[in-house]
Amino acid sequence: MINPRLGRCRLFLHSALFALATATVFASPAAQAQTQVAGEGRVGGTVTAPSGDLLRGAQIRIEGSDVVAVSDNDGQFMLSRVPAGGQQLTVSYVGFETAHQTVTVAPGETAQVRVALQPTAAENEDIVVSGSRPIAESEAAALQLKRASTSLVDVIAADSVGRFPDQNIAAAVSRLPGVSVGRDQGQERYISLRGSPSSWTTLAFDGVNVISPEGRETRFDTIPSSIASQTVVRKAVTPDMPGETVAGNINIITRSPFDYPGFKMALDGGYGFNDLGNGKQYNVGGFVSDRFANDTFGILLGASRYERDMVTDNFETDYEIATEDRQPGRETRIWRPETQNKLYRLTRSNTSFSGRLEWRPNTNQRVFLSSIYTQFRDDELRNAYVFDLDQDAVRTDNTTATNRTGYADIRTGNTPVQGTLYGSEIQSTLNSNSSRQSIFTNTLGGEHELDTWKVNWRLNYTRADARSKPPFQSSWLSPTDFTRRPTLVYDFTDPNLSRVQLYDTIRNPDGTYSRGRARPFISPTELDFASMTRNDQLDRTNGYTAKLDVDHNLSLFGADTVFRFGGEYDKRVKRSRRTTLEVTPDTLEAAGLTAPTQADISIDTPYKGKLPLGYGFKYFSSELGEALFDRYLAAGAAQVQEGASEENDYRVSEEVIAGYAMATTYFDWGNIVYGARLENVKNTGAALALTDDGYLPVRVSNSFTSVYPSVHLNWDINRNMKLRLSGNTGAARPDYDQLRPNFSYDDTDQVISGGNPNAKPERAKGVDLYFEWYMPSRGFFSAGAYYKDLKDILYDIELTQFGSDVLNSSGVDRSIYSFQTISNGGGGHIKGLEFAFSQPLEGLARGIGLPAWAGGFGVQANLTINNSKATTPDGRTTDLPGASPLIYNVSGYYERYGFSARLSYQWQQAYLDSIGSGDIIGDTYWADVARLDLSLRYSINANVQLYADANNLTNEPGIRYQGSFSRQIEHETFGRRYLAGVRLNF
């Protein structure tokens, strides 16, 4: 038998050999001979601004030929196969005059040039001058990188002091066309590209895909924007990108010491507050970079820390067609079985450390070692009060019941939105949660140019951790005696407020209930202790990547071509471990201890929010709760919660071996990128399954091979206009927790539940057509259309048969049981239109004779119109979850004399969050969301800049609703944020 690992290694080798053979076959004999022609040489050099700042993304072309290059991150470029003799270089960059420079090329040698571009005549000053015009310089850099790309991309670039307009990567990218974000507590977290699920967007650092602490669905709030010099959103997949990229890839380009002409240092310090709760926030960070050993070695070190204290006001509500309601018209009445408030006090922080050591002995060789650590920490104190409205309710057609609560009973005058309920149970949780999401990624890489060959290699190790180690969680319940429970008067007529008022409950002599005096306060002694727990959980993913890319310059079909081939090996192993300690009334009694009350951990801090609750309560202290749990632990009153580890621990590994071949063929009218990627994927899952004999280990493996072809055409209509057409393919593999074999079964109902190791990837085939116009004075307009055909979309589903014998025992065949799991459903599509526009107004102002100060205004805007459809397992057609039908961003700015101001408005139409059961209540949606932000900057000189930021100025809430906006299941407000500070740049 052939060793599977050896077989996969052979696949990798065969892919590389296939690529080499393809290059040999397609290169004509004349072309192969050309690479050895003595009458050719090379031209290398550097492109800078007059200030000396290096310009990345500049396009360099030998006039009258199809020999083209683009300057890299440190402004350097290399043109291969240049005919010997005198040649004319053309160098173009947005916001600068096109430069023409003559160079003499000797056979077999490299001619070195340095090109300093000059601002266009429309500019009154160099736009790259240490932060005096941050909007102009970042916009110019982003447009140039987009223009020079051979595939469809959008770019966010830092200004010259290394500053992005937003605190984390998700917030920064949210301003680009086709991007929508999912938020948590008002903070941008997940990224969805052009209506696709957020799990279809992958993350890369410097071109190497890395896994997120949450698996496939990347949490971008883990990553502070301060570590990036630019963030590239690649929307069209090319063969050198992993096949798991479906919607697109967010590639974070980190800084290099060779990005700057010499010593560079930037420092940032800011302080501010949230108006809801008056919580403080601060931001500190910076980096230092230098070169030594005759500019052959460079080192860059950076760090940042952002922290904010905040509170949120929240209510959540459930809905049902109540079985207790037996009166006429019950089929259309929708009742609320419970409503609750979650009142948060939060401390959230982002911390990052980064370092890069780089060696460049000459312009053709570089080796670097990069290390990045980022952590998002969430320390959360949550007072939650759940009002159980249907507790102890009875059917309205029960003629013998006297102790009626009034739930779902229209005969008492109650309606679904107003009424009175007797003896309502209150369930309360006082939780002190602490979670950390971290990414630790390390890359050793090199780039080597050898005449017509270029070799890039990367070795990467990434550890992604999701750790939860809360001091304690606690739950409390109302007593069973109805007269000790409150009577509750509810008013849900305003969908933006779930209001309840509490009163004493009086039992009448006939056994019925009535309302007593007001109880406007939930006493810290009125609820009975139910449990305290401490959950220690670590989800750790170790990822290993080896990547090789080889470029070869040759002539193909009579045109200059860069042929690229290579391979990649990825291995990722995710382990989840959980241990839960619990204290219950029984464990306390066994230890001879009395049960606590909420008063034991309560404090007298006033309510920090602004929600009109209709009742009062007391906050709790995390320190008091932690000390209480520690005392119970020391007294032996805590026990390991049964089944917590066994049901949640798992190990899932993924091994991917890939090879690809692609070519970029340049013509005088543009270029074509074409090729294919071959990937073999093997998944292995190990977990515990609950059987009659207890928990037994289960191990399941699955493998498959896929091919991902793509083609991209980039037509230069003229010097300032481009047309891009692409066809591409990709697949989103199931997440690791969806592949885990944590099975359990019920012999009575003959049903098995758990993960699905055999779930297939969700697959997509896409077409993109985009027009781009790079207008004078940094103006830009684009219009595009896209379409993706989808198949094998994953849904929660019940399959008719389990189909495996791994749970068979004692003569029982469980392979025929039904299987509740995640599995591939039907198909669907995503299609839409994108528009983007930006234009400084200085040219217009000058043209109509306005004074110079009036030329500082400008506008940026983008619009995405999206349509998606998917077939659910029950045969319904719905929108694709996460796909907003309409997204737009509008920014107006002013920038002159060192002063810079930007007012930005974002709007995102309601979109489907999750699919319901198909009844009249409906599916769950995130409501329309809008954000208004203001950013101010003033450069005192080239080294000192003052800034002030104001976020969420309209105090927009986050709202989820079910079926109709009037049925809000979550409503949360976060307040406005203000931050001011200073940046130093040397």
Side-chain angles (χ1 to χ4, degrees):
M1 179 180 293
I2 298 175
N3 183 302
R5 186 179 299 274
L6 180 59
R8 290 191 294 276
C9 290
R10 287 177 175 172
L11 175 64
F12 182 91
L13 179 60
H14 290 169
S15 300
L17 291 175
F18 168 77
L20 280 170
T22 305
T24 304
V25 169
F26 279 103
S28 66
Q32 297 176 41
Q34 257 189 342
T35 63
Q36 306 298 322
V37 170
E40 292 180 348
R42 300 198 300 172
V43 177
T46 304
V47 183
T48 71
S51 61
D53 285 1
L54 305 169
L55 296 179
R56 68 192 71 182
Q59 189 175 71
I60 305 96
R61 179 185 288 271
I62 299 294
E63 288 190 8
S65 78
D66 51 22
V67 179
V68 181
V70 175
S71 61
D72 59 18
N73 284 350
D74 57 336
Q76 295 189 352
F77 67 90
M78 182 63 69
L79 294 164
S80 300
R81 302 181 57 254
V82 179
Q87 301 292 342
Q88 187 81 357
L89 292 183
T90 300
V91 184
S92 58
Y93 193 98
V94 172
F96 291 85
E97 298 285 358
T98 299
H100 302 277
Q101 187 162 330
T102 302
V103 60
T104 301
V105 180
E109 296 183 6
T110 300
Q112 292 290 335
V113 298
R114 186 177 183 88
V115 183
L117 298 182
Q118 299 298 320
T120 59
E123 302 287 347
N124 292 326
E125 55 180 306
D126 184 356
I127 64 172
V128 185
V129 286
S130 302
S132 65
R133 301 187 65 187
I135 296 175
E137 63 196 49
S138 56
E139 183 182 59
L143 286 177
Q144 181 58 37
L145 290 165
K146 180 180 179 70
R147 182 177 187 173
S149 174
T150 56
S151 64
L152 184 62
V153 302
D154 284 304
V155 181
I156 293 284
D159 62 35
S160 65
V161 296
R163 173 67 179 176
F164 276 82
D166 300 278
Q167 188 273 325
N168 70 43
I169 291 295
V173 171
S174 70
R175 303 180 188 280
L176 293 174
V179 176
S180 60
V181 296
R183 292 179 171 88
D184 179 75
Q185 306 280 7
Q187 185 168 345
E188 295 81 356
R189 173 166 290 180
Y190 301 110
I191 295 176
S192 172
L193 297 179
R194 300 193 300 189
S196 298
S198 55
S199 59
W200 291 7
T201 302
T202 56
L203 167 67
F205 284 96
D206 296 317
V208 178
N209 272 27
V210 300
I211 201 67
S212 166
E214 287 198 353
R216 307 284 188 208
E217 192 170 35
T218 300
R219 278 185 52 169
F220 287 91
D221 58 355
T222 310
I223 308 166
S225 59
S226 59
I227 69 171
S229 64
Q230 61 181 255
T231 301
V232 181
V233 181
R234 301 181 68 178
K235 297 179 179 177
V237 182
T238 54
D240 55 347
M241 298 170 63
E244 65 182 339
T245 304
V246 177
N249 175 264
I250 310 295
N251 185 24
I252 298 169
I253 308 297
T254 60
R255 297 186 185 89
S256 163
F258 288 86
D259 288 350
Y260 312 101
F263 176 81
K264 179 76 172 182
M265 181 175 69
L267 300 174
D268 185 334
Y271 188 78
F273 67 97
N274 284 29
D275 70 343
L276 182 60
N278 291 313
K280 306 305 179 185
Q281 64 172 335
Y282 72 86
N283 182 75
V284 294
F287 68 91
V288 60
S289 172
D290 202 2
R291 303 188 208 173
F292 51 94
N294 294 323
D295 278 350
T296 60
F297 278 94
I299 187 169
L300 185 146
L301 299 174
S304 70
R305 169 80 174 182
Y306 171 77
E307 181 176 305
R308 66 172 171 168
D309 294 324
M310 57 182 290
V311 301
T312 60
D313 282 337
N314 166 290
F315 71 79
E316 298 184 13
T317 305
D318 292 341
Y319 298 89
E320 69 173 6
I321 305 295
T323 57
E324 294 86 354
D325 183 359
R326 310 304 293 177
Q327 303 306 304
R330 62 183 179 272
E331 299 86 358
T332 59
R333 281 192 291 271
I334 299 174
W335 299 87
R336 293 163 171 82
E338 71 174 38
T339 186
Q340 67 173 308
N341 291 116
K342 292 181 179 177
L343 307 167
Y344 294 91
R345 293 167 289 156
L346 303 162
T347 298
R348 288 189 160 182
S349 63
N350 286 90
T351 305
S352 74
F353 299 97
S354 60
R356 186 178 180 110
L357 179 65
E358 195 160 340
W359 177 50
R360 297 192 181 185
N362 53 55
T363 57
N364 300 328
Q365 314 292 330
R366 68 178 72 176
V367 177
F368 69 89
L369 175 64
S370 172
S371 185
I372 301 167
Y373 175 81
T374 71
Q375 182 194 76
F376 174 83
R377 178 168 175 168
D378 189 356
D379 293 312
E380 170 189 290
L381 304 179
R382 187 183 73 186
N383 286 68
Y385 299 95
V386 182
F387 302 96
D388 200 343
L389 307 183
D390 66 347
Q391 177 70 25
D392 298 310
V394 295
R395 285 172 46 158
T396 57
D397 59 359
N398 185 336
T399 59
T400 62
T402 58
N403 56 339
R404 297 180 180 276
T405 68
Y407 176 70
D409 193 346
I410 62 172
R411 299 172 304 173
T412 66
N414 288 345
T415 71
V417 294
Q418 284 183 305
T420 300
L421 304 174
Y422 302 106
S424 294
E425 181 179 77
I426 301 175
Q427 303 171 13
S428 174
T429 56
L430 307 181
N431 294 344
S432 176
N433 297 317
S434 182
S435 64
R436 297 161 178 79
Q437 298 261 340
S438 65
I439 297 174
F440 180 46
T441 183
N442 306 270
T443 302
L444 176 65
E447 300 176 8
H448 312 280
E449 295 191 24
L450 310 168
D451 195 21
T452 60
W453 295 84
K454 184 175 181 178
V455 178
N456 291 348
W457 56 273
R458 302 287 188 271
L459 299 173
N460 176 271
Y461 165 70
T462 296
R463 188 184 73 201
D465 284 353
R467 182 184 293 275
S468 177
K469 196 174 182 179
F472 73 93
Q473 297 172 319
S474 65
S475 60
W476 314 76
L477 298 173
S478 292
T480 57
D481 184 353
F482 267 40
T483 60
R484 294 178 59 194
R485 298 180 181 180
T487 288
L488 184 147
V489 176
Y490 63 90
D491 184 352
F492 304 139
T493 53
D494 181 357
N496 294 302
L497 177 63
S498 179
R499 187 175 181 85
V500 298
Q501 292 179 297
L502 308 179
Y503 300 84
D504 286 341
T505 300
I506 299 174
R507 186 187 296 273
N508 301 314
D510 61 358
T512 61
Y513 301 102
S514 61
R515 189 178 84 181
R517 65 178 182 178
R519 273 170 66 176
F521 189 76
I522 299 177
S523 167
T525 60
E526 72 176 83
L527 303 180
D528 292 338
F529 173 73
S531 69
M532 289 188 78
T533 58
R534 179 174 289 171
N535 183 56
D536 188 356
Q537 180 178 354
L538 173 62
D539 291 351
R540 171 166 290 175
T541 306
N542 287 301
Y544 307 87
T545 297
K547 183 179 180 182
L548 176 67
D549 301 297
V550 180
D551 290 0
H552 181 43
N553 289 57
L554 49 83
S555 179
L556 191 60
F557 309 122
D560 193 66
T561 298
V562 177
F563 183 81
R564 173 175 289 184
F565 63 93
E568 184 170 342
Y569 173 80
D570 290 286
K571 183 168 184 179
R572 296 165 180 167
V573 180
K574 181 169 185 177
R575 294 180 176 88
S576 182
R577 297 289 182 266
R578 182 179 304 181
T579 301
T580 302
L581 299 176
E582 65 176 358
V583 176
T584 67
D586 290 340
T587 64
L588 289 174
E589 183 180 359
L593 301 173
T594 58
T597 67
Q598 289 186 337
D600 292 324
I601 59 176
S602 295
I603 56 177
D604 292 328
T605 302
Y607 174 49
K608 293 176 176 290
K610 298 179 180 179
L611 192 66
L613 296 174
Y615 62 90
F617 70 98
K618 279 199 168 187
Y619 282 127
F620 68 93
S621 163
S622 179
E623 291 76 14
L624 290 176
E626 184 175 9
L628 181 64
F629 193 94
D630 288 340
R631 287 200 300 271
Y632 292 152
L633 186 61
Q639 65 183 10
V640 176
Q641 190 176 79
E642 183 179 356
S645 296
E646 292 84 352
E647 294 172 9
N648 294 284
D649 292 357
Y650 65 90
R651 180 186 186 275
V652 174
S653 67
E654 175 183 67
E655 195 173 21
V656 183
I657 297 178
Y660 75 91
M662 62 181 285
T664 304
T665 299
Y666 293 91
F667 304 93
D668 55 3
W669 51 263
N671 57 76
I672 302 177
V673 183
Y674 48 96
R677 187 179 187 90
L678 177 69
E679 288 190 349
N680 176 261
V681 181
K682 180 179 180 180
N683 297 312
T684 302
L688 295 176
L690 180 59
T691 72
D692 293 336
D693 300 320
Y695 291 96
L696 298 178
V698 176
R699 181 182 175 90
V700 181
S701 295
N702 181 35
S703 64
F704 57 91
T705 300
S706 301
V707 179
Y708 304 105
S710 66
V711 61
H712 309 263
L713 183 148
N714 303 286
W715 176 29
D716 296 328
I717 301 173
N718 56 40
R719 182 175 176 270
N720 296 315
M721 295 181 181
K722 281 181 176 288
L723 189 69
R724 301 184 189 269
L725 174 64
S726 73
N728 50 82
T729 56
R733 300 191 286 273
D735 213 339
Y736 301 108
D737 60 347
Q738 297 171 335
L739 296 169
R740 61 177 182 162
N742 285 88
F743 303 125
S744 61
Y745 60 80
D746 185 327
D747 281 333
T748 301
D749 295 334
Q750 294 193 341
V751 61
I752 294 171
S753 60
N756 186 0
N758 294 313
K760 297 183 295 184
E762 300 170 298
R763 299 186 178 275
K765 298 177 182 178
V767 178
D768 305 292
L769 178 62
Y770 279 71
F771 167 76
E772 298 172 358
W773 180 17
Y774 298 85
M775 299 181 289
S777 300
R778 301 192 325 275
F780 175 73
F781 171 77
S782 72
Y786 56 87
Y787 179 87
K788 282 189 183 295
D789 180 70
L790 311 174
K791 62 182 297 186
D792 295 331
I793 300 172
L794 289 166
Y795 289 99
D796 292 325
I797 193 173
E798 183 170 319
L799 302 175
T800 56
Q801 284 196 342
F802 180 56
S804 173
D805 60 2
V806 296
L807 297 180
N808 291 357
S809 64
S810 304
V812 179
D813 181 9
R814 298 186 177 90
S815 66
I816 61 173
Y817 285 10
S818 61
F819 187 24
Q820 296 176 345
T821 187
I822 188 167
S823 189
N824 302 94
H829 71 261
I830 303 172
K831 61 183 178 181
L833 300 172
E834 273 186 13
F835 302 92
F837 173 76
S838 66
Q839 182 64 68
L841 301 181
E842 54 194 326
L844 175 63
R846 185 170 47 254
I848 61 177
L850 295 178
W853 64 265
F857 292 98
V859 64
Q860 298 171 331
N862 60 70
L863 168 69
T864 302
I865 303 170
N866 188 64
N867 175 273
S868 68
K869 296 298 177 186
T871 304
T872 66
D874 61 5
R876 290 191 296 135
T877 299
T878 70
D879 294 338
L880 197 67
S884 180
L886 184 65
I887 307 166
Y888 66 82
N889 294 270
V890 179
S891 295
Y893 65 84
Y894 182 81
E895 191 167 55
R896 221 48 164 194
Y897 313 118
F899 176 73
S900 174
R902 186 201 302 262
L903 186 66
S904 302
Y905 183 78
Q906 298 176 298
W907 192 83
Q908 182 174 332
Q909 190 175 350
Y911 62 89
L912 180 67
D913 180 51
S914 62
I915 295 171
S917 60
D919 59 21
I920 67 169
I921 298 177
D923 301 322
T924 300
Y925 290 82
W926 277 106
D928 301 345
V929 63
R931 288 288 298 268
L932 181 66
D933 301 325
L934 175 66
S935 175
L936 303 174
R937 306 282 185 270
Y938 180 67
S939 296
I940 296 175
N941 54 44
N943 304 118
V944 182
Q945 182 188 82
L946 306 179
Y947 68 90
D949 295 325
N951 299 97
N952 194 26
L953 287 172
T954 53
N955 193 22
E956 294 289 333
I959 298 173
R960 281 194 304 150
Y961 62 87
Q962 198 161 5
S964 167
F965 184 81
S966 63
R967 293 193 291 274
Q968 296 186 18
I969 62 175
E970 182 177 4
H971 185 288
E972 199 165 36
T973 53
F974 326 100
R976 304 168 182 84
R977 304 198 316 270
Y978 304 94
L979 183 73
V982 60
R983 297 193 181 95
L984 305 178
N985 181 44
F986 299 98

